[in-house]
Amino acid sequence: MKSLAVLHASQLVTLAGPKRARVGSELSELAIIHDGGMLIRDGAIVATGASAEIEKQARGAEILDAAGRLVLPGFVDAHTHLVFAGKRLDDFERRARGETYEQIASAGGGIWSTVEKTRAATEDDLFAQSKTHAGWFLQGGTTTVEAKSGYGLTLEDELKILRVIRRLTLETPLECVPTFLGAHAVPREHKAPEYLDLVVNEMLPRIVAEKLAEFCDVFYERGYFDLEQSRKVLNAAGQRGLKLRAHVDQLTNSGGAKLAAELRTTTADHLEKTDTEGVKALKSAGVQPVLLPGSVYALGSTAYPRAREMIEAGLALVIATDFNPGSSPTPSMSMVLSLACTQMKMSPAEAITASTINAAYSLNRGDKIGSLEAGKTANFAIFDCEDYRELAYWFGLSQTHAVYAGGQCVFQA
Ligand SMILES: [Zn+2]
């Protein structure tokens, strides 16, 4: 048995607590151990406590001296579009010049340009680029991500993306939770109804049969999929045993939160335009909101979702990067923490809970990751600072010192 003892963390931020997602004032409770230590055996956490106590149990263990640095659970990023080909630099520049999303799309940019590049890429090319993205997440202290398909929009290309997601989990240290987002956009070669038939009758059965996805997602938005179409995709996926997530109320308040509540999706994501009624609906159905401030920032908008109202309503809030080539090209959870605090008025502690333990529960993995507690996988990050608030405070600075997944070092600054 291989043992590792982490000693002398200025703060060991354990997030130990109830075995469920945290709500209300619980979001502020990080269960910090000062001068903390952690004993790891065979990739799993055996004990956490004061360094002096852990040292006594550490006979024969390899010692990892955190030397007064901050130690946190690996971040869990519950909303990413990690697998795609190419970049959208022209879109970025056009947006800087003040062009709108519609203008950019009609000039050949937008989701469609990424679909074309992703379709043209071989599975190996796509894997190579995605592996680079995976390395960026690890570098920022993220050890688990949710990863969506949705830039293929044909049966073969959606399968290709989902197989790349599976390979990332098998061949890199980043754990990827796969989500099928065939209903991301209507491809140019189809009208919406016939494309939906393809999603429901051909893609879903094949993906479920090959066990390529745990969740199904839909982009419910004007110009993408309407209420009936979104309900149809999610119902079909639910009947086939997939859990559900949904992109809702991003650009318009179209009752997306209510749809998520009606279908009891695990999460409702974006919610920039969700109102008080929508918040109440999410609460009554136990749906977890996933807020994506990086995409609001990168689009140059100021319409951030109402995080405070959601926390006060008792929702088990999650924050994530929405990593994608168009509206949120950042893998950095530190950046998201900063935006959560400065733009959504969350406290640094709330932001950390929302990006670790609550995110883990939203991915059905709350019993394995998201906190530093005995029995959990030893996924953790060591940062070159002393206080957890520094992660959100020094924005734009990488403070990662080292990252461990399953007790193994996967990144060292
Ligand atoms: Zn998204």
Side-chain angles (χ1 to χ4, degrees):
M1 276 206 266
K2 193 167 175 281
S3 302
L4 177 69
V6 183
L7 301 175
H8 306 301
S10 60
Q11 298 179 337
L12 187 84
V13 179
T14 67
L15 289 123
K19 294 187 191 315
R20 54 168 171 76
R22 313 294 159 76
V23 296
S25 60
E26 293 168 356
L27 278 149
S28 305
E29 293 163 15
L30 299 182
I32 293 170
I33 302 171
H34 296 274
D35 191 14
M38 177 164 63
L39 188 63
I40 293 160
R41 202 167 289 145
D42 289 334
I45 299 166
V46 175
T48 59
S51 258
E53 292 306 311
I54 296 299
E55 206 164 1
K56 282 181 203 158
Q57 306 170 44
R59 197 165 303 146
E62 183 190 330
I63 302 293
L64 173 58
D65 187 356
R69 295 186 181 89
L70 173 70
V71 177
L72 227 69
F75 289 119
V76 178
D77 194 337
H79 184 133
T80 86
H81 304 252
L82 186 145
V83 178
F84 55 86
K87 318 165 202 202
R88 299 243 288 271
L89 300 176
D90 292 338
D91 294 18
F92 179 66
E93 193 172 351
R94 281 175 187 278
R95 207 155 46 229
R97 285 203 298 259
E99 291 186 25
T100 64
Y101 194 84
E102 286 74 20
Q103 286 172 319
I104 292 168
S106 62
I111 288 180
W112 187 249
S113 64
T114 298
V115 170
E116 285 181 322
K117 288 177 205 155
T118 304
R119 285 180 177 178
T122 66
E123 188 171 320
D124 283 341
D125 290 342
L126 204 51
F127 178 71
Q129 182 175 343
S130 301
K131 198 175 165 187
T132 301
H133 300 165
W136 294 343
F137 281 96
L138 292 167
Q139 236 177 79
T142 297
T143 45
T144 303
V145 303
E146 182 260 11
K148 303 175 195 295
S149 69
Y151 292 119
L153 311 182
T154 66
L155 172 63
E156 280 313 314
D157 291 306
E158 288 293 305
L159 290 170
K160 178 174 74 179
I161 295 169
L162 290 166
R163 284 194 296 260
V164 167
I165 294 171
R166 180 156 68 190
R167 271 182 75 185
L168 288 169
T169 295
L170 295 173
E171 299 177 35
T172 80
L174 185 69
E175 183 190 23
C176 297
V177 180
T179 293
F180 170 54
L181 179 57
H184 191 196
V186 179
R188 291 206 173 146
E189 64 272 17
H190 290 297
K191 293 262 181 286
E194 66 180 25
Y195 180 63
L196 271 189
D197 284 343
L198 185 67
V199 169
V200 168
N201 300 324
E202 292 186 42
M203 295 186 189
L204 263 175
R206 186 73 187 276
I207 285 157
V208 168
E210 295 193 23
K211 295 190 167 59
L212 282 167
E214 294 181 29
F215 289 90
C216 181
D217 193 343
V218 66
F219 193 18
Y220 172 32
E221 188 62 62
R222 192 178 56 199
Y224 293 85
F225 296 94
D226 68 18
L227 184 67
E228 273 318 306
Q229 293 164 338
S230 302
R231 189 184 272 129
K232 182 178 168 181
V233 171
L234 292 175
N235 271 332
Q239 281 160 13
R240 290 190 181 273
L242 295 184
K243 293 191 161 58
L244 309 176
R245 318 178 86 79
H247 284 69
V248 292
D249 297 345
Q250 180 183 5
L251 308 171
T252 48
N253 178 13
S254 45
K258 281 191 207 155
L259 176 68
E262 171 200 319
L263 300 178
R264 307 222 163 232
T265 60
T266 302
T267 66
D269 301 40
H270 276 291
L271 306 173
E272 283 87 339
K273 297 289 160 64
T274 301
D275 58 11
T276 302
E277 250 182 85
V279 171
K280 277 190 195 147
L282 295 177
K283 170 64 182 164
S284 67
V287 178
Q288 284 192 264
V290 180
L291 307 187
L292 309 164
S295 60
V296 181
Y297 167 80
L299 289 173
S301 163
T302 51
Y304 287 90
R306 305 182 189 181
R308 286 252 58 86
E309 185 179 332
M310 293 178 195
I311 291 172
E312 274 143 35
L315 298 184
L317 201 76
V318 177
I319 55 174
T321 61
D322 193 17
F323 176 72
N324 77 76
S327 60
S328 193
T330 181
S332 169
M333 196 59 89
S334 302
M335 181 69 196
V336 171
L337 296 179
S338 171
L339 290 169
C341 297
T342 61
Q343 309 302 308
M344 301 199 298
K345 306 303 174 198
M346 291 172 67
S347 70
E350 288 170 337
I352 284 173
T353 304
S355 55
T356 53
I357 188 71
N358 276 13
Y361 276 103
S362 87
L363 294 178
N364 211 17
R365 281 161 171 72
D367 56 336
K368 296 189 184 74
I369 56 171
S371 65
L372 303 177
E373 295 179 90
K376 286 204 169 177
T377 304
N379 290 355
F380 61 98
I382 305 176
F383 294 98
D384 258 323
C385 55
E386 296 175 342
D387 186 307
Y388 69 88
R389 292 172 297 186
E390 290 184 73
L391 291 176
Y393 172 76
W394 302 110
F395 72 94
L397 174 71
S398 171
Q399 298 174 83
T400 320
H401 174 72
V403 181
Y404 285 72
Q408 303 283 330
C409 184
V410 297
F411 173 76
Q412 178 85 50

